[in-house]
Amino acid sequence: MANYVGRVDWSFTATPMPTSTRFDGLARIVIVGPEQGAVHTELAAGAFRAGGWLRRHVHSFEEGLYILSGELTLVTDAGAETL
């Protein structure tokens, strides 16, 4: 069992990860994952710079997303929605 109680140090958002074919302008940090003892769960915090993107993908598990500020456009087969 993994537990996390604390605050996120958002300074990681100042340095997005290098651009790849999967994303651009994304900064991300894993808070709870395999290194913390979680087997089937991951909790991560992320931020996009303006214009950043993440390529459409699927997971074999549920995914939750909280938007703390700004807007995000979600593109699905049904169309695009601004969140």
Side-chain angles (χ1 to χ4, degrees):
M1 175 181 233
N3 297 290
Y4 174 80
V5 177
R7 298 183 183 274
V8 175
D9 177 1
W10 291 96
S11 65
F12 75 92
T13 64
T15 310
M17 297 183 294
T19 298
S20 78
T21 59
R22 295 178 28 224
F23 53 80
D24 180 45
L26 173 64
R28 184 174 186 274
I29 186 170
V30 175
I31 299 167
V32 175
E35 290 185 16
Q36 292 76 28
V39 178
H40 300 289
T41 303
E42 180 179 88
L43 173 63
F48 287 101
R49 76 173 191 308
W53 54 268
L54 176 64
R55 190 176 81 193
R56 185 187 279 196
H57 63 283
V58 297
H59 293 278
S60 60
F61 50 85
E62 296 82 8
E63 182 172 11
L65 178 67
Y66 297 90
I67 301 168
L68 302 180
S69 66
E71 293 182 341
L72 183 72
T73 303
L74 176 66
V75 179
T76 67
D77 290 338
E81 293 288 332
T82 300
L83 309 175

